[in-house]
Amino acid sequence: MPTAFLISFFKKFTMKRFLIISMACLQAMLFTACHSAHNHDEHADEHGHADEHGHADEHGHEHGADEISFSPEQAKAAGLQVTKLQASEFAEVVEVSGRVLPAPGAEATVSATMAGVISFATGELTDGMSVRNGQPLFRINAANMADGNPAAAAQAELQAARTALDRAERLAKDQIISARELEDARLRFATAQTTAKSLGGASQTRTVGANMNGYVKNVMVKPGDYVSAGQPLATVTQNNRLQLRADVPERYYTLLPNITTANFRMAYEETNRTYALSELGGRLVSKGKSSNDSSFFVPVTFEFNNRGNIVPGSLAQVFLKGATRQGVLAVPNEAITEVQGLYFVYLQIHPDAYRKQEVKLGATDGVRTEITQGLKAGDPVVTKGATQVRLAANATVIPEGHSH
């Protein structure tokens, strides 16, 4: 048999065998795919009707891909609160900076009554310490001063002036000295008497006490310092009545007539706690009629009771409240979460499912924020515990009963 014929026959036999093997492999792959699809359908039937958009839970509720599972038990443990949104009143708000100040008459300065070296009457004197009226705070010692004890010197001068006046009166009676010399002696005595009285005797030490009940606001000296008569030593504040001064930019001047109250936050508090003047016995004291030449701000001043731990002199974020508007959709600030500059609230879809809803914000009074877009009246909004729902949304949890 020719060699060329054998080669041709071998090629045809090999190709036919290859085609048979390929067809068998293809049939096996199709069978496997059909069997897998059948198993998937059975898996879906075990858990309810599932579609390409989500799955059904054990209660029969279908969950979309954008829904967040959060069971009633989890909601109760997290203190979740859901409120149906309703239109309500909302005041016009002007957000400005401000400062908390002590109310007039609520502070007093403790001053040195003579010159000398200062020491604390008690072992320690610190800011914030409670004191009572008349309680000794400082001691002043003039014993080691280079020019001597000024109180003792004043007493010596008073005695000399008294002796000189007695002598002048006797001489004037006999007309030995003129009336002018007598008058000079009387003036010297009066001056010495006033000085000695102000220094309070010839003692080399003097105790200086608090002049009102309250708290030590700041101590201006330290033990060992030299002080002169009249020098401020400390400030005592009652701290029970404070003022809130809001600095309003000139562009908001036309809104000032409508301002009646305010909310505020303290700059040093990290919790963003908001204080309402209406809850602190607050009242409007004054509104500025013009701005300062150097600051271009118009002051608005309120007064309120210090029922918290508010520190006078601290900076504050102030939400001035003016005329009210009706029919405004607003939610508590804690209902709002922020992600990369976008704002969201969470809506309850089922008792065990929630959905994230993007919203557009309007004004805020520090407690509630106006929603201008994204919500409608009647929407069930998570008003407390939104952070827990957000954490649940970020968690990667395989629904119970699903295993692959």
Side-chain angles (χ1 to χ4, degrees), residues 108-114 138 140 207-209 211 227-234:
T109 301
V110 178
S111 302
T113 55
M114 72 174 189
F138 303 95
I140 303 174
T207 299
V208 182
N211 43 16
V227 297
S228 56
Q231 179 177 334
L233 305 178

Side-chain angles (χ1 to χ4, degrees), residues 121-302:
T122 58
E124 186 179 15
L125 187 63
T126 59
D127 294 353
M129 179 183 292
S130 176
V131 296
R132 64 185 185 277
N133 188 22
Q135 176 181 339
L137 301 180
F138 303 95
R139 285 195 179 92
I140 303 174
N141 190 344
N144 298 322
M145 294 180 60
D147 55 352
N149 182 359
Q155 289 295 321
E157 170 61 17
L158 176 61
Q159 184 61 38
R162 180 181 289 112
T163 301
L165 177 59
D166 291 342
R167 179 174 178 276
E169 287 177 342
R170 290 195 303 271
L171 296 176
K173 185 177 181 180
D174 296 333
Q175 296 183 351
I176 298 175
I177 62 173
S178 65
R180 180 176 179 179
E181 290 175 307
L182 176 61
E183 190 62 29
D184 288 343
R186 288 174 177 171
L187 179 59
R188 177 188 175 187
F189 175 75
T191 301
Q193 190 177 40
T194 302
T195 302
K197 185 177 180 180
S198 66
L199 294 176
S203 175
Q204 292 185 338
T205 61
R206 184 76 52 80
T207 299
V208 182
N211 43 16
M212 66 187 303
N213 296 327
Y215 302 87
V216 177
K217 178 181 178 181
N218 60 330
V219 180
M220 306 175 191
V221 295
K222 60 183 183 296
D225 285 351
Y226 169 81
V227 297
S228 56
Q231 179 177 334
L233 305 178
T235 303
V236 177
T237 177
Q238 290 182 337
N239 208 29
N240 57 357
R241 192 71 177 170
L242 301 175
Q243 284 190 344
L244 174 65
R245 188 192 69 197
D247 297 320
V248 183
E250 290 179 336
R251 64 179 180 274
Y252 296 126
Y253 183 78
T254 56
L255 301 178
L256 291 185
N258 296 327
I259 300 299
T260 57
T261 186
N263 298 336
F264 65 97
R265 295 174 182 164
M266 301 307 301
Y268 57 80
E269 290 189 344
E270 297 181 358
T271 58
N272 282 336
R273 176 183 177 183
T274 301
Y275 298 88
L277 289 180
S278 59
E279 299 175 357
L280 297 175
R283 67 181 184 90
L284 177 65
V285 176
S286 64
K287 299 177 186 178
K289 300 302 181 182
S290 62
S291 62
N292 187 294
D293 293 338
S294 59
S295 66
F296 306 105
F297 290 97
V298 179
V300 177
T301 306
F302 302 89

